[in-house]
């Protein structure tokens, strides 16, 4: 049971931090993320780090009741902030999302040395425009 908890906790923390990092730092995502989603991503990243730290501290201190209860409350904070991010991403403008996809496809195409009208990036732009 502990192994499953550690693997699931670590993968949740890494996923939350990756989502927050990409949503806050990637140039294409920055223009498509609403202020509410940006705030939610910041909170999600912070809460995920806090939750993982609480879990490690709880184990290192041989599971004192206070830390164990704080770790349980942290799980609610992670769940709540994840739901908030999912809800706030529903209101991102479709035009902004299409623009972000175009920017990402164009930058990927120019980094690969090809033009925008060639291959998979062109298909991504056409799919985003629909």
């Amino acid at each position: 049971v502990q192994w499953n908890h550690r693997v699931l906790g670590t993968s949740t923390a890494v996923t939350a931090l990756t989502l927050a990092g990409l949503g806050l730092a990637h140039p294409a995502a920055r223009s498509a993320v609403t202020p509410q989603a940006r705030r939610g991503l910041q909170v999600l990243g912070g809460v995920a780090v806090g939750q993982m730290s609480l879990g490690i501290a709880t184990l290192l201190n041989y599971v004192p009741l206070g830390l164990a209860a704080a770790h349980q409350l942290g799980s609610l904070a992670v769940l709540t902030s994840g739901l908030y991010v999912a809800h706030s991403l529903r209101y991102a403008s479709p035009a902004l999302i299409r623009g972000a996809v175009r920017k990402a496809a164009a930058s990927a195409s120019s980094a690969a040395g090809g033009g925008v009208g060639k291959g998979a990036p062109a298909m991504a732009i056409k799919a985003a425009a629909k």
Side-chain angles (χ1 to χ4, degrees):
V1 171
Q2 283 207 2
W3 174 254
N4 292 338
H5 186 85
R6 289 179 190 175
V7 169
L8 184 61
T10 303
S11 63
T12 301
V14 168
T15 302
L17 288 172
T18 303
L19 178 66
L22 287 176
L24 295 172
H26 195 276
R30 251 186 284 170
S31 63
V33 173
T34 63
Q36 294 82 9
R38 186 173 296 113
R39 187 171 35 253
L41 287 168
Q42 291 168 344
V43 170
L44 180 62
V47 170
V49 168
Q51 175 67 354
M52 190 166 183
S53 300
L54 270 173
I56 292 169
T58 301
L59 285 176
L60 290 177
N61 289 308
Y62 300 106
V63 194
L65 187 59
L67 279 177
H71 186 61
Q72 291 295 319
L73 288 174
S75 67
L76 290 175
V78 171
L79 176 66
T80 303
S81 60
L83 289 173
Y84 179 81
V85 168
H87 179 72
S88 63
L89 287 175
R90 292 181 56 204
Y91 298 106
S93 169
L96 285 175
I97 293 173
R98 281 193 297 271
V101 169
R102 285 189 186 118
K103 278 185 186 178
S107 66
S109 175
S110 64
V116 174
K118 298 178 183 174
M123 288 189 279
I125 291 172
K126 289 177 186 174
K130 289 183 182 181

